[in-house]
């Protein structure tokens, strides 16, 4: 008889990041307990124009299913350091990376109240990572990731600022037979997991410092 997979356990905190103990994932999201996540936005500049990779979340996800979001993200389990979060890149995208090669953006406290019994409060540790890979070269984790799409980074910044209503995305997407095939889609703000403007200011501020965004970033109406 196969043993059921044990539920993930997360370190939990108060709003000031004081550690309170450990709780299972279901309780964390049901009660809206603060916990930690690792988030990495991946950029490819090898084509000349910086391309940002957006992950298409699997339809069975409890939070924001079938929406586009961060290239790679995951919860830090109980006892894990932020550095350990780099494992998510290999698990979700088949990408081997060293933590030292990530570019830190900072930590952002984000709260999403999806329903009275589904509340996500995260201390998000946000990073950037640069690759020279096309979307077809990634090995996606089927149960977590339904697709991976490349969008023009500058256009994406304008989209979340509200300056554009849609932008093209190209990449790969899971088909009915479970195989990933080339795909394209028009990306709108409604197809994105919502993040507050302050989150994008943190993210795009660092991208501007890296010289990846022309003219930097200023908050607009955007998403969130």
């Amino acid at each position: 008889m196969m043993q059921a997979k044990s539920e993930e356990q997360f370190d939990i905190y108060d709003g000031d990041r004081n550690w309170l103990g450990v709780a299972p994932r279901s309780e964390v999201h049901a009660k809206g307990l603060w916990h930690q996540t690792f988030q990495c936005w991946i950029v490819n500049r090898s084509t000349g124009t910086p391309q940002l990779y957006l992950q298409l979340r699997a339809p069975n996800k409890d939070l924001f299913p079938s929406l586009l979001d961060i290239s790679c993200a995951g919860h830090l389990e109980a006892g894990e350091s932020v550095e350990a979060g780099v494992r998510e890149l290999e698990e979700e995208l088949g990408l081997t990376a060293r933590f030292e090669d990530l570019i830190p953006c900072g930590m952002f406290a984000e709260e999403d109240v999806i329903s009275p019994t589904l509340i996500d409060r995260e201390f998000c540790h946000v990073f950037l990572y640069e690759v020279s890979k096309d979307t077809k070269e990634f090995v996606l984790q089927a149960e977590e990731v339904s697709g991976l799409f490349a969008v023009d980074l500058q256009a994406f910044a304008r989209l979340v600022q509200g300056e554009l209503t849609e932008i093209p995305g190209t990449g790969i997407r899971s088909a009915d037979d479970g195989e990933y095939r080339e795909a394209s889609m028009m990306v709108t703000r409604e197809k994105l997991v919502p993040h507050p403007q302050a989150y994008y200011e943190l993210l795009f501020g660092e991208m501007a410092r890296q010289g990846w965004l022309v003219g930097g970033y200023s908050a607009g109406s955007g998403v969130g």
Side-chain angles (χ1 to χ4, degrees), residues 136-155:
K136 297 187 293 293
E137 298 178 71
F138 290 85
V139 180
L140 307 186
Q141 185 181 18
E143 59 268 30
E144 297 282 343
V145 186
S146 289
L148 190 68
F149 288 86
V151 296
D152 180 277
L153 174 57
Q154 197 77 33

Side-chain angles (χ1 to χ4, degrees), residues 38-187:
F38 169 89
Q39 303 183 355
C40 189
W41 295 81
I42 298 174
V43 172
N44 180 4
R45 295 191 298 157
S46 66
T47 57
T49 302
Q51 299 289 303
L52 177 68
Y53 289 147
L54 299 175
Q55 177 187 130
L56 180 63
R57 295 171 63 81
N60 61 342
K61 299 288 287 183
D62 58 342
L63 300 170
F64 306 111
S66 301
L67 291 183
L68 294 163
D69 198 20
I70 304 158
S71 317
C72 175
H75 293 90
L76 294 180
E77 296 187 15
E80 280 193 315
S81 65
V82 177
E83 290 80 2
V86 74
R87 62 173 168 76
E88 292 287 347
L89 289 165
E90 180 136 25
E91 291 175 6
E92 292 190 352
L93 304 178
L95 186 63
T96 302
R98 300 186 311 162
F99 182 79
E100 304 82 59
D101 293 331
L102 306 184
I103 300 169
C105 297
M107 193 281 294
F108 188 85
E110 184 165 359
E111 178 179 29
D112 291 297
V113 180
I114 294 94
S115 75
T117 57
L118 185 57
I119 304 168
D120 194 25
R121 292 190 174 103
E122 298 181 354
F123 292 120
C124 310
H125 299 275
V126 186
F127 296 89
L128 308 177
Y129 186 60
E130 188 171 2
V131 300
S132 299
K133 287 177 175 285
D134 184 82
T135 53
K136 297 187 293 293
E137 298 178 71
F138 290 85
V139 180
L140 307 186
Q141 185 181 18
E143 59 268 30
E144 297 282 343
V145 186
S146 289
L148 190 68
F149 288 86
V151 296
D152 180 277
L153 174 57
Q154 197 77 33
F156 182 76
R158 295 182 64 196
L159 176 72
V160 299
Q161 285 178 259
E163 295 178 7
L164 297 174
T165 58
E166 61 179 14
I167 60 174
T170 59
I172 55 175
R173 186 172 190 167
S174 179
D176 292 339
D177 59 5
E179 296 295 320
Y180 290 97
R181 294 190 171 86
E182 291 188 33
S184 61
M185 68 186 302
M186 294 306 296
V187 178

